Each structure stands twice: as C-alpha cells, then as structure tokens.
Amino acid sequence: MNSPNLHPDRRESAPGGKPPASSGVLGWLSVLPPAALTIAFLFYLPAISAGEVLRVAYDWVPSLDIRLSFLLDGLSLTFALLISGIGAFIALYSSVYLAGHAHFGRFVFYLLFFMVAMLGLVLADNLITLFVFWELTTVASYLLIGFDHAGAKARRSALQALLLTGAGGLALLAGLILLGFAAGSFELSEILTQGDAIRAHTLYLPILILILLGAFTKSAQVPFHFWLPNAMAAPTPVSAYLHSATMVKAGIYLLARMHPALSGTEVWIWTLTIFGAVTAVTASVIALRQTDLKLSLAYTTVMALGTLTMFLGAEATVAVAAALTFLVVHSFYKASLFMVIGIIDYRTGTREAEKLGGLAKAMPITAAAAAAAALSMAGFPPFLGFIGKELKYEGALAIASEPLFVASAAVLANALMVAVAGIVALRPFYGRRLETPKAPREAPLRMWIGPVTLAALGLTFGLMPGLIADSLVQPAVTAILGRPEEVKLALWHGINVPLMLSLLTFALGVTFYFFHLRLRGMLSWVEARLPTTGDRSWDAILEGLKSLAAVQTRLLQGGVLRRYLFVTFASMALVLAATFVVTDALRLSFDWSQPLLKHWAVVVLIGAGALMTAVVTSRLAAICALGVVGVGVAMLFVMFGAPDVAITQLLVETLVVVLVAVVMLRLPSLQQETGPRFRRLDAVLALGVGGVVSAILLSVVSGPMDRRITGYFEDTSVPEAFGRNIVNVILVDFRALDTFGEVAVVVVAALGAYALIRGTKRSRPQPEERS
C-alpha cells in the first residue's frame, strides 16, 4: 500500500476552485465539549474511588421497561475519561491536520457525534439504551470512515464496517432482549446481581452466543478482524480516536460489563480465551508484514483487542486487573503513535516505512513522543506498559485451566509488538536520512501536544502507578468482577517468572526487529499463496449475496402477477404450517356432530361456489360464483345471530356482482394462459392454504375462548361510547382509526380501478383500426 505524495486527508481547494478556509474558531470550539466533559468526569473520581455508584434514570417507554438510565461506576468512568480526554486531544490535533478541508465543519460534527454515542454506550444502565447508543457508534463510524466520500476505498471500507458491525448489532439486540427476559429486568444494575440465576437459565447459551457475536464483530476478533485495518481509509485523527478509545473498545467494554452475569462457565472461558489468543497472535504476525506505518499500527490494535478478550475470559483478579491496566496503556500509546504517524505523513508526504529515515533531527519533539509511546507499547520499564505486561504474564499464569496456552500466546504477541514498535518509532526517525516527497519539519504545537502528553502520562503512571491503581483500575476491576477487590500496581515485583517472561519477550522482540525485512518477505510469500483471506472472503460473500439476489429476483419477481400471488400464498401456507409443527399448536378436538344439517348445506354451497370460480373461463360466471360464496357467508351470519352483519354482507356482495358485471362487459374475454400443469399447482396451493386456515380455525374453536376483550367491549360500549350495538361501537369508536384506514384503502382502490378501466377503454383499438 503506497501513500500518495500529496497528503491523503486534505483537500487542496474547496469546491469551485476557491482557496481552502482555515479551521479557525471552529477548530478551537471543537475542543471545548470533550475538554469540559473530561473535567466534569474528573470531579467524580474521589466518589467512585471510594466505592460509590451513581445512577440516574428517566422514563422512556415505561410499558416495556425501557428507561434512559445511566450508571457511573469504576468501569464506565474509566472509559468515559479515555473517550473524552483523548477526544479533546484528537479535536485539537484535527484543527491543524484538517485545516482548510472543505468539509471540516462536517468532520467536527461527526467526531462529536461519535464521542457522544460512545459516552452514551459506556454509561447506559438499560439494555435497550445501550443498544441504541451501540448502533449510533456504528452509524458515526460509518460517516467518519467514509469521510473522504469521493474515494472508492473509503466508501468500500465504510460500507464494510457498517454491514459487519451492523449485523453483529442485530445479534446483540436479540441477545439483550433474551437477557432482559431471563433476568426479569432490562436494567443492567439489576441484571448484574443475578449472575448465578442467568447462568443456570435455559436461555444462557443463546444469550451468550448472540452477545459474543455483537462484541466480537465490534472488537474485530478473528474471523471478523479484517474490517478494522480497512478502516484506515479514514483520516488519521479518526484512526487515532477509533483505535485508542472508542468504537473498537465498545466490544471490550461489553465483555467487561457482562462479566458478572455471563462469566464463569466453561463456554465463556474457552471461547474468549481461544478467540482472543488466536486474534492476538494472528494480528501481530500480520502487523509485522505491513510497510504502511498506519496499517501496521491498525493490526497492533487488533492484537491488543485479542489480548484484552483473552484475559477477560478469566476469573482471576490479577487477570482482570491486567486487562484493565493494558486497556489504559494501549489507549495512551496507540493514540500517541497514530498522531505521530499523522505528523510524519503531514510533514513528509508519506508514511511508508521503507521511504522514511533520519527524521529525528528535523522533528525532535515528534521523535521524542514516538520513542516514549513505543517504549510503553513494547513494555520497557519504567513505562506503564511494562507494568501492564508484567500483570499480563502474572494473570496468564494465574489462569488455572490453560496457563501455558495463554502465556505462550501473550509472549509471542508481545514479542512481535516489540518489533513493530521499533519499526514504527525507531526506523522513521533514526538511521540514514532518506529523501521524502516533502522536506520534513516539526509540526505545530496543536499537533504534537497530544502525543507528547499521552506518552508522558504513560511514563508518569509507570513511575507512580499508585495514581492510577486506586483511582481507576481498582474500581473498574471491582465493577467487572462484581465484588470488592484490592489491586496493587508496582514497577518492581522482584525476580520471578513474569520477569523472566519479560526478558524472553525483549529478546524475541529485538530478534524479530533485526530480521523483520526477511520475515516480511516470508510472510508476504505465505499470504500470496493462501487460498483466501478475510477481506477476499468478504468480497466473495458479497458477490454471492448479489448473485443470489439476482437469481431470486428473476425467479420471484418476473413481472407475472400469477407468480407473485402463487409465491405469496405458498409462503403463507408454509410459514403457518411450520408454526403448527414447531409449536405443536394443532388441536382438532372438535365436535363434528355439533353442526346441523343446515350448516353443512351452507358449507356445500360455499364450496361449490369456490370450485366454480376456479374452473370457469368466463369472468362474468366467475364473479357470479363468488357472489354465491358471499351469499353463503351471509347465511352463516344469520344462523349464528348476526343479522345486521348478514345484511351488510348481502348488500356488498350484490353491489360488487352488479358493478363488476358492468365493468366486465368492457373488458376482453378471459383467456386461459396456463396449461394443465399450472392448474394442478394452483389446485394444490388452494387446497393447502384452505387446509392450513381450516386447521387454524378448528384449533382456535377447540380450546377455551379468552373473553377478556369481549367482556371489555360489553362493559364499556354504553358508558363510554354511548352505543348498544357493540359491532358498530367497535368500528366507529374503539377502532375508529382502523376503520378510517380501511375506508381510505377502499377509496384508493376504487380510484385505481376507475383509472384502470378508463385507461383500458381509451387504449382499446377502434373497429376501423383492427382491420
């Protein structure tokens, strides 16, 4: 992937050839909302650190137990601070990076929309509220990834992210609804206290599968990993924000939030451990192969997400503490390094690793920020990344079921990260100076202040880990595990197995770095010979769906009305019959001696009319036969005590027969356009639909009737609707809107029929024209 010489995220001129406008006041204003939110959330730190949990709720759809409820505890506060704090630096960075872009105002709106959606997601205490914000992050990421809408790659990547994460979101919705029914509440604060009952529920497995599908697609776990690197088509500020603190961490947040309710079972432990380990190792290997610095960092994000998933599958406190610490570590160094790469691209015109070198002299501040962030990424002391790595190894060894598997995956992935950190942060700035499309120079203050601050925080918290342990990590671990836990972070734990694993990681990582060019060539050779990749499989799936849709359209929507009707009624019969079979709802305990001879006579009359309608070749005879059916139905109404309905039925049938008969005189004769085979199919379909509908009616009348609605109408017709004819009251008062809609449909149908008849009359050739 080669970067263009011109900056890929900028527009040299606005539409119409006008010079680009500066970000100006809007650029500074965009920083205020995230900065203000960060300060506001910091004020809650003392209360949350002391163990308090804050909640606020507003009724939204109370009849469905849906509330706009929000919860602030250690976990949600950690995410909220990362989202708003890093968001402020991203907004400041963007004010220079995208200055002069013709659509900078739109970008600011999308970015703040994204931030609000993520904050709503991590603060939501209601399952439906959580899902609404979950889908809003999907929409916002689609807009941001496809921000360069003129580029085919941006459009494709945005659509891929939307479809994949949107499909996962639908699975998540089903899982959340099942979870709410299983728990008897849609409030997370109530659900998370019922872990034992939920795990013992018969719906536990489908709930878990559906929720994991939503989380895995969002957090890019294998085999859904390919969409995230493709999202690099977005401007670099979006990549920095999306990868460090927002959308991709939503899946991790969901796993952490659901931990008290869903964790502890074998299927939870092994699913998260295996998928997380495979994702971490696979992504770190692919990251080593990339030459585009931004793409290489994207794959390291997938590696980090796999690592977090792997450790969230465990029950050990130290494993969960490792996940939370690494979450914060990753957010700091990943946002910093993405912004560094953006500066490199901004000032040199390329981000290809093979075209960069010796930039430290021209860009000393950026080089320092890159070095500090990369050392934290590689896990070198005294950075917070070292503490996080030590905790990961300690947590891996504390997982009783598979310590060797988890520790091996963590060592290999971390060693590859050491190599990638060197490629990203050392190679562009040190060594022989290479010529770049643009002469390099240091970036403005607003661009480097973010990466420098975030890298410095990684060093500060590494030297003084107590600052973050008591205020963020411990309350978050307590929220995840659902019980009070004490977490201690320290830079030095003595000489132990985790330290030995760290030394092994450094040794392997340095080896990978020095041989990374050879390894890159080998990996490229292997990838070229793979039968498929995730991205190619996605394209194949989309092409298959398009082909299936084309075949289905040709089969079902060929423009033949008879085929439309056949498919519609056949589908209805099959669905109803399948429902009977699946639910075992067929009840035929009907007293066949109850109908009298007169009843059977009317049934025979109706059947004869229906049969004649199907076999005659004259439209007039067919409509008269249908009139016989209507008369038979009216007779049934009379027999069962509804003379007013019978009169209405009789009048309508008579009117329809007369009107249609008049119209028929102006239409050409009815031609039979189907052969015997089609007639037999029609007969089978008619018998099938009639049989299914008859079975439904017999099953309904075989059981006791629920008279609650009938009793309500009987009790309220006179005092509330002032009418003694219950049928009329239902139509005019209780179902007034339905009746109005039915009348409107009839009027529209009549107008359509009138227009059709007039059109047919005008288009008929005159006698002299026929000759």
Side-chain angles (χ1 to χ4, degrees):
M1 175 178 174
N2 295 321
S3 299
N5 291 335
L6 293 177
H7 192 273
D9 298 331
R10 293 167 60 83
R11 294 290 177 272
E12 298 304 316
S13 63
K18 298 180 181 179
S22 169
S23 62
V25 177
L26 180 60
W28 287 104
L29 289 177
S30 65
V31 184
L32 293 180
L37 285 170
T38 304
I39 295 171
F41 285 125
L42 284 173
F43 277 111
Y44 289 104
L45 263 180
I48 300 301
S49 302
E52 293 186 31
V53 176
L54 307 177
R55 184 177 182 274
V56 61
Y58 306 95
D59 283 339
W60 186 8
V61 189
S63 60
L64 298 178
D65 194 26
I66 299 175
R67 297 180 181 85
L68 280 173
S69 53
F70 301 96
L71 178 75
L72 190 65
D73 60 2
L75 180 63
S76 56
L77 180 60
T78 300
F79 273 89
L81 284 172
L82 292 174
I83 293 165
S84 56
I86 294 177
F89 287 120
I90 296 295
L92 185 63
Y93 179 90
S94 302
S95 66
V96 176
Y97 191 85
L98 289 173
H101 197 290
H103 303 297
F104 179 72
R106 182 191 300 171
F107 175 83
V108 170
F109 172 75
Y110 291 166
L111 190 70
L112 295 180
F113 173 38
F114 196 17
M115 182 189 69
V116 170
M118 273 302 302
L119 287 174
L121 191 158
V122 300
L123 296 173
D125 188 40
N126 184 278
L127 294 180
I128 305 303
T129 302
L130 184 149
F131 172 75
V132 169
F133 283 108
W134 180 281
E135 290 300 275
L136 287 178
T137 64
T138 299
V139 174
S141 65
Y142 169 76
L143 296 173
L144 286 171
I145 295 170
F147 179 68
D148 182 17
H149 55 272
K153 179 176 175 57
R155 295 197 302 270
R156 176 186 181 275
S157 300
L159 183 62
Q160 186 181 75
L162 177 68
L163 293 178
L164 194 58
T165 59
L170 293 178
L172 175 64
L173 175 61
L176 294 179
I177 292 174
L178 291 179
L179 178 60
F181 281 116
S185 172
F186 283 87
E187 297 299 302
L188 272 168
S189 52
E190 299 178 18
I191 292 172
L192 299 181
T193 62
Q194 304 179 40
D196 293 337
I198 293 172
R199 285 185 286 270
H201 200 280
T202 55
L203 291 175
Y204 171 75
L205 188 58
I207 289 171
L208 180 62
I209 292 173
L210 292 168
I211 289 179
L212 289 185
L213 277 174
F216 283 2
T217 52
K218 201 81 156 182
S219 58
Q221 301 298 298
V222 170
F224 311 113
H225 61 288
F226 53 88
W227 77 264
L228 185 54
N230 288 341
M232 294 303 95
T236 297
V238 175
S239 303
Y241 199 31
L242 186 147
H243 282 247
S244 62
T246 51
M247 181 182 175
V248 297
K249 296 287 178 63
I252 301 302
Y253 169 79
L254 183 67
L255 295 176
R257 178 56 77 193
M258 294 297 176
H259 197 279
L262 302 179
S263 68
T265 62
E266 289 291 322
V267 64
W268 168 277
I269 294 172
W270 283 104
T271 302
L272 268 63
T273 301
I274 292 174
F275 274 88
V278 171
T279 300
V281 175
T282 302
S284 56
V285 170
I286 299 176
L288 192 64
R289 193 193 70 78
Q290 308 304 316
T291 59
D292 185 303
L293 297 179
K294 188 176 174 183
L295 196 58
S296 183
L297 269 188
Y299 278 106
T300 65
T301 298
V302 181
M303 171 268 173
L305 296 171
T307 302
L308 290 167
T309 300
M310 181 171 61
F311 282 97
L312 285 174
E315 285 293 301
T317 301
V318 66
V320 177
L324 260 296
T325 306
F326 182 58
L327 174 79
V328 177
V329 171
H330 176 263
S331 298
F332 287 164
Y333 76 67
K334 187 53 61 72
S336 180
L337 286 176
F338 262 117
M339 286 190 277
V340 163
I341 291 175
I343 292 173
I344 294 173
D345 198 9
Y346 183 82
R347 286 307 197 191
T348 66
T350 183
R351 55 176 188 252
E352 286 291 317
E354 297 174 351
K355 298 179 181 180
L356 295 168
L359 298 176
K361 185 175 181 180
M363 307 169 68
I365 300 177
T366 303
L375 287 171
S376 186
M377 174 180 174
F380 282 94
F383 291 88
L384 185 60
F386 174 76
I387 299 176
K389 180 167 57 58
E390 292 281 286
L391 270 178
K392 283 193 289 183
Y393 292 153
E394 186 179 348
L397 297 173
I399 299 174
S401 55
E402 60 282 341
L404 182 61
F405 175 74
V406 175
S408 301
V411 168
L412 181 57
N414 285 328
L416 289 165
M417 286 306 96
V418 172
V420 174
I423 295 170
V424 170
L426 295 181
R427 180 159 182 166
F429 294 101
Y430 304 99
R432 183 171 59 89
R433 174 76 172 87
L434 300 178
E435 291 300 321
T436 54
K438 294 164 60 176
R441 55 193 178 96
E442 190 57 82
L445 170 67
R446 282 185 286 172
M447 292 191 74
W448 59 253
I449 190 65
V452 167
T453 302
L454 293 172
L457 286 175
L459 177 60
T460 303
F461 291 139
L463 294 171
M464 296 178 285
L467 293 176
I468 194 174
D470 298 332
S471 58
L472 288 181
V473 177
Q474 180 173 319
V477 171
T478 299
I480 292 176
L481 294 177
R483 59 179 184 268
E485 293 291 345
E486 185 177 358
V487 176
K488 296 294 183 183
L489 301 183
L491 189 60
W492 176 251
H493 289 273
I495 300 176
N496 51 22
V497 176
L499 180 61
M500 296 299 104
L501 292 177
S502 292
L503 295 177
L504 176 61
T505 301
F506 297 147
L508 287 174
V510 172
T511 303
F512 288 149
Y513 175 73
F514 280 110
F515 291 98
H516 75 272
L517 293 179
R518 293 184 183 180
L519 291 172
R520 182 180 293 160
M522 292 171 55
L523 293 171
S524 299
W525 182 87
V526 171
E527 183 182 12
R529 284 156 179 78
L530 289 175
T532 186
T533 62
D535 210 29
R536 293 201 295 266
S537 298
W538 172 261
D539 290 336
I541 291 172
L542 285 187
E543 288 302 320
L545 289 174
K546 291 178 182 177
S547 300
L548 177 62
V551 171
Q552 177 180 303
T553 301
R554 287 195 301 269
L555 179 65
L556 302 180
Q557 299 182 6
V560 180
L561 180 60
R562 179 191 170 281
R563 186 179 299 175
Y564 290 161
L565 293 174
F566 188 91
V567 171
T568 300
F569 283 102
S571 300
M572 181 189 75
L574 289 174
V575 170
L576 292 176
T579 304
F580 264 128
V581 173
V582 172
T583 60
D584 192 24
L586 188 61
R587 300 288 185 271
L588 298 180
S589 57
F590 181 73
D591 185 3
W592 294 96
S593 63
Q594 184 178 3
L596 303 177
L597 179 60
K598 60 180 181 181
H599 299 150
W600 288 112
V602 174
V603 170
V604 171
L605 177 65
I606 293 174
L611 181 62
M612 181 176 293
T613 304
V615 298
V616 297
T617 59
S618 167
R619 284 196 178 93
L620 189 57
I623 193 63
C624 291
L626 279 179
V628 171
V629 174
V631 171
V633 173
M635 293 173 66
L636 287 176
F637 285 138
V638 172
M639 292 177 184
F640 288 96
D644 52 344
V645 180
I647 293 173
T648 304
Q649 171 75 16
L650 198 59
L651 290 174
V652 169
E653 284 296 334
T654 304
L655 183 63
V656 167
V657 170
V658 172
L659 292 178
V660 173
V662 172
V663 171
M664 292 297 179
L665 296 176
R666 297 180 175 271
L667 294 177
S669 60
L670 183 64
Q671 299 294 328
Q672 289 288 350
E673 299 178 354
T674 59
R677 183 168 65 89
F678 292 103
R679 293 197 195 101
R680 286 194 294 269
L681 286 176
D682 291 342
V684 171
L685 177 62
L687 291 174
V689 173
V692 170
V693 173
S694 299
I696 293 174
L697 292 175
L698 291 175
S699 297
V700 170
V701 300
S702 296
M705 298 296 291
D706 187 347
R707 290 184 51 84
R708 284 179 296 177
I709 297 178
T710 304
Y712 172 80
F713 288 141
E714 290 174 348
D715 295 338
T716 57
S717 290
V718 173
E720 293 190 13
F722 305 103
R724 297 185 179 277
N725 188 314
I726 297 179
V727 175
N728 291 345
V729 168
I730 292 173
L731 293 175
V732 176
D733 291 278
F734 293 114
R735 292 184 56 217
L737 290 178
D738 288 347
T739 304
F740 177 78
E742 292 168 359
V743 172
V745 168
V746 172
V747 171
V748 171
L751 291 175
Y754 175 72
L756 180 64
I757 294 169
R758 284 179 58 85
T760 303
K761 178 181 177 181
R762 290 178 178 180
S763 62
R764 290 182 63 185
Q766 298 300 320
E768 59 271 14
E769 293 177 341
R770 294 174 184 167
S771 61

